[in-house]
Amino acid sequence: QQVGPLTRQVVKDGLSQAGAIRCSACGVVEPLGALAAPVPAGKLAADFVFTPAKRASYFSLPDQNGRLVSPASLRGKVVALTFLSAVCREQCPLVGVTMRLVRSQLGASASRLSVVVVSVDPEQDSAANTALFALEAGWHGTDWHYLTAPRRILAPIWAAYGIYVPPPLPIFRPGQTIVHEAGIYLLDASARLRAYFGVPVMAARIAAAARA
């Protein structure tokens, strides 16, 4: 949030802080209002908190290495579950970079976090495209899983998590960006839904919730 003139420098400062650009002459943009409110240690705060915790809807999908991933297979870790397109050049890369920043803010505890992406663009989320997305997001050394399958298999999963994904365009053009809902669910070590963050996502808030 910005109070006052939205100058070119302010925009650059914000993009730099989000990790979208590299800038040696950029400063820090201080968030205001609820996004900046300190979260007491151990308290779970998010855009939506599941009270009581809810069992995560079932899925079992192959990741980029061919490993089948399901909520049960992720037990023991806090899971950041999101829905992205590897070729998107709008909000998806920012979500990817945010997850890198979350891990950075968690420090040694980052080893207990798993990043799981369910594709919303199965026609374009090839192994090469997902690998490039992870590289650009800075996920090297991260426990990440990019899950994809044919659209008919993914559609019920999108619906179960309330993610709207429009049907493919009648004329397919490689590299096209689809408009879809994005957000991040946090699952606890017992594979239960605990919190949800809508876009725009703030790394500090997600890291605090992951700790809690």
Side-chain angles (χ1 to χ4, degrees), residues 131-157:
L132 180 59
F133 180 91
L135 178 65
E136 292 177 342
W139 288 357
H140 177 72
T142 298
D143 179 27
W144 64 277
H145 307 273
Y146 203 114
L147 315 181
T148 190
R151 181 173 289 264
R152 61 181 174 80
I153 295 176
L154 293 175
I157 300 171

Side-chain angles (χ1 to χ4, degrees), residues 14-31:
L15 291 173
S16 176
Q17 185 172 330
I21 64 171
R22 294 183 179 181
C23 174
S24 60
C26 288
V28 175
V29 178
E30 294 295 337

